[in-house]
Amino acid sequence: MKIKDNVDVLVVGAGPAGSIAARVLAENNVDVLVLDKKQEIGTPKRCAEGIHSNVLDTVGLKPDPLWVVNETLGAIIYSPSEKKVEINFNDVGIGGYILERKIFEKHLAIDAITSGARYAIKTMALGVIKENGKITGVKAEHMGEEIKIRSKIVIAADGVDSKIAKSAGLNTTNRLEDYESGFQYEMAGLKNINFKYLHLFFGSEVAPIGYVWIFPKIKNTANVGVGILSSRSTPEKNAKYYLDKFIEDHPDIFEDASPIEINAGGVPVSSSIDTFVMDGLMVVGDAAQIVNPLHGGGIRLAMNSAKIAAEVSVNALKENDFSSSRLYEYERIWEETDGVRVKKLLKVRAFLEKLNDKDFERLADILGAKDIINLSNANYKFLFRLLLTKAPKLLPLAKKFLV
Ligand SMILES: Cc1cc2nc3c(=O)[nH]c(=O)nc-3n(C[C@H](O)[C@H](O)[C@H](O)COP(=O)(O)OP(=O)(O)OC[C@H]3O[C@@H](n4cnc5c(N)ncnc54)[C@H](O)[C@@H]3O)c2cc1C
């Protein structure tokens, strides 16, 4: 199929961010083309596939049984000694879904195409075209052929390993301390767990500065994975080591289980890249390192940043102004909304990173379900009062990182 060589907006990456941007643009009659290097959208996945129900509301999606494969009622948090704190989602007014992400991503693309967007798969963007300091398109490779596609705006939605932002000259470098290294098996044959709950295990022996998750899918299957801080990973003790050890240590759950898929990937859990825009360029989702720093979930933030960027593009196109100062509106809106929360969550993360296993045990004793939800929503004022009366030893740390 012939790929257009000139469009208004060129989106690189057909993940959740790219396809939401494409749909919003197409709904506004913008001529938009999406490139993805994959030969099949959504595959392979790099995801545990868990989201809150509000993730879909953010971008006007309704849950569809074609891609929501499990509805979760809550989460169980396990301390290092496996003391449990149970969170019932109903009590805190949220719902939980487990996606079949490969199908979810395809449906996002179908929605965008139905709205008028065009897609070119198996098309790898090699770098931006830069003229007089402005980004005016992308060089790409499609099935052995090198092509150039011109556009008024490029939206880089090419994920955590973004080439586009870097090739444009934005600083995307991260330190090892800024990444969680993830490793996951999708497994069948699990037993003795509640399949309506997410299960999250903490502890320095389980996952240094991270956690192990079991996110149940259909029948007796689940995504079983681990994230550890990349700087704690060694050749002998990497994320795979911790996951395999966890599985070995829990024969009650895993003795009859086998993997049906392996996934690995990095999650940027520090602050986002310095700026999201240049003349003719906007960076969204994981490419901008916009991820929830507490749990590493990024689907909602990716889709919302893409929606904002697309809405700003629509107006920039009407005004025929693609300068960084015009496109900066996207970054400003993000900073004033999700950005505020992400900054607070970074503080919560910095506080939690300093805790040892004993501290986690103490927290498991004193934190209730609502407290954990509050913390994960970056509402942590209550913590000072609680620590003052129940764990005063932790108060100086809380004051250092959370004030
Ligand atoms: C192990 C693991 C588990 C996770 N679990 C969860 C979870 O349970 N819930 C949650 O909310 N988040 C989770 N995340 C994070 C989540 O997957 C990301 O935040 C989300 O995918 C970001 O979406 P995106 O569209 O920005 O990027 P991506 O989903 O990474 O999409 C980027 C797209 O760009 C394409 N691409 C890349 N480079 C090029 C190129 N040069 N040319 C053309 N195309 C290109 C890729 O093929 C891909 O399709 C997890 C991440 C990992 C690693």
Side-chain angles (χ1 to χ4, degrees):
M1 271 180 74
K2 187 158 167 34
I3 297 172
K4 278 181 140 186
D5 58 8
N6 203 327
V7 290
D8 283 341
V9 180
L10 182 60
V11 178
V12 181
S19 284
I20 289 297
R23 191 196 78 197
V24 172
L25 288 160
E27 283 170 350
N28 285 280
N29 301 317
V30 172
D31 179 23
V32 52
L33 173 67
V34 183
L35 310 183
D36 203 291
K37 63 183 178 185
K38 292 178 179 170
Q39 66 181 34
E40 182 177 7
I41 286 173
T43 305
K45 69 166 194 225
R46 283 201 293 195
C47 191
E49 304 176 289
I51 56 168
H52 289 315
S53 47
N54 65 5
V55 173
L56 301 180
D57 304 337
T58 311
V59 287
L61 287 170
K62 296 256 171 296
D64 185 330
L66 285 171
W67 41 261
V68 170
V69 293
N70 194 7
E71 284 193 40
T72 46
L73 302 176
I76 301 174
I77 315 273
Y78 299 75
S79 76
S81 69
E82 300 209 354
K83 213 177 287 165
K84 296 182 196 174
V85 182
E86 192 172 314
I87 299 167
N88 187 330
F89 287 159
N90 237 339
D91 294 347
V92 285
I94 53 172
Y97 298 127
I98 304 290
L99 304 173
E100 185 59 58
R101 179 145 167 190
K102 294 168 190 165
I103 302 180
F104 174 63
E105 279 194 29
K106 271 197 181 146
H107 275 258
L108 295 181
I110 293 167
D111 286 349
I113 292 167
T114 307
S115 302
R118 290 291 164 264
Y119 276 58
I121 55 172
K122 217 167 165 42
T123 306
M124 155 95 91
L126 304 170
V128 293
I129 304 171
K130 203 172 185 179
E131 290 163 318
N132 303 323
K134 294 180 186 150
I135 308 307
T136 56
V138 154
K139 282 179 241 148
E141 199 236 79
H142 174 68
M143 304 183 74
E145 189 194 341
E146 213 165 287
I147 53 176
K148 280 186 183 166
I149 305 162
R150 303 269 168 185
S151 65
K152 293 174 180 153
I153 297 173
V154 171
I155 296 185
D158 50 338
V160 67
D161 312 313
S162 178
K163 264 198 190 129
I164 292 303
K166 199 171 178 186
S167 81
L170 293 179
N171 179 12
T172 58
T173 324
N174 250 322
R175 301 163 307 157
L176 276 182
E177 288 82 2
D178 300 332
Y179 272 97
E180 287 278 315
S181 162
F183 190 86
Q184 174 178 272
Y185 299 117
E186 185 171 335
M187 298 184 90
L190 277 74
K191 55 186 189 184
N192 297 322
I193 54 155
N194 187 331
F195 281 88
K196 281 288 171 194
Y197 277 72
L198 306 173
H199 302 266
L200 307 168
F201 298 78
F202 291 83
S204 58
E205 296 295 315
V206 176
I209 322 242
Y211 62 96
V212 162
W213 62 82
I214 303 177
F215 284 8
K217 293 185 73 178
I218 49 162
K219 292 185 177 169
N220 56 10
T221 66
N223 288 317
V224 184
V226 68
I228 64 168
L229 200 66
S230 295
S231 58
R232 298 294 177 98
S233 174
T234 64
E236 299 79 36
K237 291 190 172 183
N238 55 18
K240 179 178 181 301
Y241 162 88
Y242 283 100
L243 185 59
D244 288 343
K245 183 169 180 305
F246 178 82
I247 289 170
E248 245 178 72
D249 291 346
H250 292 82
D252 52 323
I253 304 173
F254 297 109
E255 68 185 349
D256 299 333
S258 289
I260 51 174
E261 186 172 328
I262 295 177
N263 317 113
V267 179
V269 285
S270 78
S271 51
S272 48
I273 60 173
D274 297 342
T275 181
F276 302 164
V277 296
M278 281 178 75
D279 288 344
L281 177 75
M282 297 161 115
V283 188
V284 298
D286 270 17
Q289 299 172 5
I290 296 173
V291 169
N292 182 313
L294 212 52
H295 53 60
I299 297 174
R300 193 194 77 76
L301 289 166
M303 297 199 298
N304 198 38
S305 68
K307 178 171 169 263
I308 302 169
E311 286 165 353
V312 170
S313 301
V314 171
N315 290 327
L317 286 163
K318 281 184 194 147
E319 295 159 24
N320 204 30
D321 182 354
F322 322 114
S323 62
S324 59
S325 52
R326 178 67 191 85
L327 303 185
Y328 182 76
E329 188 187 359
Y330 151 53
E331 186 166 335
R332 183 182 57 72
I333 295 173
W334 189 84
E335 289 285 355
E336 288 169 3
T337 50
D338 280 340
V340 175
R341 196 163 147 256
V342 167
K343 276 202 182 94
K344 285 185 176 174
L345 287 172
L346 280 166
K347 290 184 176 185
V348 179
R349 184 181 171 93
F351 166 67
L352 294 176
E353 277 191 0
K354 294 288 174 293
L355 303 185
N356 60 32
D357 283 1
K358 256 187 166 172
D359 300 330
F360 270 107
E361 292 298 343
R362 186 72 195 119
L363 285 185
D365 287 335
I366 63 173
L367 291 179
K370 282 208 170 120
D371 298 329
I372 292 176
I373 291 292
N374 272 330
L375 264 187
S376 70
N377 283 327
N379 300 324
Y380 44 73
K381 277 202 179 124
F382 77 93
L383 198 63
F384 296 102
R385 224 175 317 114
L386 193 72
L387 295 180
L388 183 66
T389 51
K390 304 223 164 122
K393 222 188 88 209
L394 294 179
L395 201 55
L397 261 189
K399 281 188 177 156
K400 181 167 177 198
F401 290 101
L402 296 176
V403 172

